[in-house]
Amino acid sequence: MDRIRIIGGHRLNGTIQISGAKNATLPLMIASLLSEDTLILDNVPQLADVVLLQRILGNHGVDVMIAGKRAGEDANNGRTLHISAKHIVDTTAPYELVSKMRASFWVIAPLVARMGEAKVSMPGGCAIGTRPVDLLIMALEKLGTEIEVEGGYVIARAPKGLCGAEINFPKVTVGGTHTAIMAASLAHGTTVIENAAREPEIGDVADCLNKMGAKISGAGTSRIVIEGVPKLHGARHTVLPDRIETGTYAMAVAMTGGDVLLQNARPELLQAALDVLGQAGATVTPTNEGVRVARNGAGLMPVEVTTAPFPGFPTDLQAQLMALMTRAHGTSHITETIFENRFMHVQELVRLGAHIHLDGETATIDGVPCLKGAPVMATDLRASVSLVIAGLAAEGETMVNRVYHLDRGFERVEEKLARCGAAIERLGG
Ligand code: EPZ
């Protein structure tokens, strides 16, 4: 397995191109199952999760064509996928595939909405927590799906089609909201989703579905209304920029010092995180091209942060912020409210010399004057990248093992950082 080797202590200066968002690309690809026509997606990042989802969709009979680059096109621009779900040959998503990527459970919604049936493996727990799917099932049941759970599979049936309904989520769920929107798009009548997730990726998927002929309003607010339509058609859609990748590189720059333009980034997608970076001592400037992040001279200040659904501070940036706060002048507190076990990075950061104390869902981080390089590994992608951030500032060599996790969600991380002056390289396994 590949490893990433970092020699810490280099400032970051230059430009980093922000890729299309992983967490919009995955549901957008899944939404292609709703139509017989081709969905064209631009700005798709090259990630292991995208490749895996291609395989999962392929199992249902979906044809994915990756368009090559045209001459003169910037090699850093994302790829274009042509996705055709004309012939769905199988409505089962097997354990071997779903267990590798939780979001693939979401295929249940378009399959039952269009084909009247789906059999999808329960995803099981994962490194960041138990992660149940009860709310996704509740939403499908409200829309008239009969659900049975058998042999680890959720079997969904709606032979006469789905019916619009009122869905009130007791807890904000991104996957539940995606599932409800996709299923309701092809239901008879009107669906109202209350307490919907407001994450920008929900709005991006709704925009794409509307281009395909769906009638969705209110996406991006906590009340979404969907008028069902009998059929969706093909469309072309550009994936929005990745706010978590943006926040990750912004924290890397705050960690090392320097001045970097995060090209294509949209500040409004991560205002809460940019505000925290400002409090920590970084200068964040929105520009026509993206967001510029700099830290020159000033030391890092401690912060108090609690993760929350959008527009709050994202759980997907919690590990990276913790890495940054290991070097702050003082004590920070970070509370994780979304996933109960998302602290896999803590012990690895401690191996690099960080002082972190965990008490339930709150981590207390006493900043230290320096970190020392060491071999480290992590079991989820945001935790892995937090170790890269720490390694960029640690004295000597940090070797990040199990790079597979990084490749799931960060496109060419070592290349992007090396171009800005980091001493970082990938070593083949
Ligand atoms: C999405 O996961 C993201 N994944 C996650 O990104 C992200 O951390 C998470 O939203 C929160 O922002 C994708 O978009 C592919 P949820 P999702 O349903 O949809 C509980 C990353 O690193 N819950 O919003 O699975 C759940 O346990 C990742 O890119 C139920 O109780 O998250 C959690 O506590 C990992 N029952 C909370 O809701 C349910 O049926 C929010 O989860 C569903 C969720």
Side-chain angles (χ1 to χ4, degrees):
M1 225 187 267
D2 289 3
R3 293 169 297 159
I4 285 196
R5 180 170 176 263
I6 304 164
I7 307 292
H10 298 268
R11 291 161 72 82
L12 294 172
N13 284 294
T15 298
I16 293 178
Q17 177 105 10
I18 297 304
S19 300
K22 169 182 85 83
N23 287 347
T25 302
L26 301 178
L28 284 165
M29 290 173 73
I30 289 172
S32 71
L33 286 165
L34 286 165
S35 171
E36 288 175 12
D37 298 344
T38 300
L39 175 63
I40 303 175
L41 295 178
D42 293 308
N43 199 31
V44 173
Q46 294 190 38
L47 301 171
D49 269 6
V50 171
V51 174
L52 183 58
L53 185 55
Q54 258 168 257
R55 268 185 56 205
I56 292 169
L57 293 177
N59 192 59
H60 297 297
V62 177
D63 192 41
V64 181
M65 197 189 82
I66 301 164
K69 294 259 167 262
R70 284 184 215 100
E73 222 171 35
D74 184 344
N76 287 333
N77 282 337
R79 297 199 289 187
T80 296
L81 300 190
H82 293 244
I83 311 174
S84 164
K86 192 171 180 60
H87 304 293
I88 293 181
V89 296
D90 193 343
T91 53
T92 299
Y95 175 72
E96 301 74 60
L97 296 175
V98 179
S99 58
K100 290 200 175 106
M101 186 175 62
R102 294 186 54 83
S104 59
F105 183 82
W106 303 346
V107 298
I108 195 167
L111 286 176
V112 78
R114 182 171 147 201
M115 307 300 289
E117 58 168 42
K119 182 177 172 188
V120 180
S121 169
M122 303 263 270
C126 73
I128 62 173
T130 49
R131 303 186 76 187
V133 288
D134 56 321
L135 300 177
L136 284 68
I137 291 175
M138 177 277 278
L140 293 172
E141 281 181 330
K142 288 264 180 197
L143 293 168
T145 311
E146 284 167 28
I147 300 277
E148 249 182 279
V149 179
E150 208 182 281
Y153 279 79
V154 179
I155 301 166
R157 288 192 192 91
K160 295 195 181 122
L162 299 173
C163 284
E166 179 141 329
I167 301 170
N168 196 336
F169 285 113
K171 184 173 189 176
V172 175
T173 155
V174 172
T177 306
H178 279 310
T179 307
I181 292 177
M182 284 193 243
S185 292
L186 288 185
H188 304 287
T190 305
T191 297
V192 180
I193 306 175
E194 300 282 2
N195 200 25
R198 289 181 282 165
E199 270 63 8
E201 294 75 22
I202 300 280
D204 203 41
V205 174
D207 283 350
C208 176
L209 288 171
N210 282 339
K211 288 179 196 164
M212 294 168 75
K215 293 192 175 153
I216 305 164
S217 56
T221 74
S222 52
R223 186 172 193 272
I224 301 177
V225 180
I226 304 136
E227 304 282 347
V229 295
K231 232 174 168 354
L232 294 181
H233 52 72
R236 184 163 196 155
H237 182 77
T238 300
V239 178
L240 93 170
D242 197 315
R243 65 195 165 98
I244 305 301
E245 191 196 25
T246 306
T248 300
Y249 289 124
M251 289 190 201
V253 179
M255 184 66 150
T256 62
D259 190 337
V260 171
L261 171 67
L262 303 172
Q263 203 163 30
N264 288 346
R266 279 172 43 193
E268 73 279 13
L269 303 184
L270 72 159
Q271 200 52 56
L274 296 178
D275 289 347
V276 167
L277 277 171
Q279 289 160 26
T283 308
V284 177
T285 321
T287 76
N288 289 340
E289 281 183 88
V291 178
R292 211 174 127 193
V293 180
R295 185 171 70 83
N296 290 306
L300 284 167
M301 301 307 291
V303 296
E304 305 280 320
V305 167
T306 298
T307 62
F310 192 86
F313 187 94
T315 172
D316 291 348
L317 284 173
Q318 179 255 109
Q320 298 90 316
L321 178 67
M322 197 176 303
L324 181 62
M325 287 301 108
T326 62
R327 294 288 314 280
H329 297 296
T331 300
S332 304
H333 295 101
I334 302 180
T335 301
E336 170 60 55
T337 66
I338 309 292
F339 294 111
E340 81 271 19
N341 191 28
R342 205 171 200 182
F343 284 124
M344 308 301 286
H345 42 286
V346 169
Q347 286 315 313
E348 298 300 300
L349 289 170
V350 167
R351 287 170 51 71
L352 295 170
H355 287 183
I356 305 173
H357 170 73
L358 264 185
D359 184 9
E361 55 186 24
T362 300
T364 302
I365 306 117
D366 291 316
V368 293
C370 76
L371 298 174
K372 296 249 165 69
V376 285
M377 68 163 84
T379 43
D380 88 84
L381 78 130
R382 311 304 178 190
S384 296
V385 86
S386 78
L387 301 175
V388 171
I389 292 176
L392 290 173
E395 275 175 16
E397 179 184 295
T398 296
M399 188 73 80
V400 181
N401 294 294
R402 293 206 195 169
V403 167
Y404 167 74
H405 290 289
L406 274 177
D407 292 337
R408 292 189 63 171
F410 289 93
E411 194 175 33
R412 297 175 291 108
V413 67
E414 71 282 8
E415 226 178 282
K416 290 188 182 188
L417 287 168
R419 275 199 200 168
C420 289
I424 180 169
E425 61 178 343
R426 178 180 291 252
L427 305 176

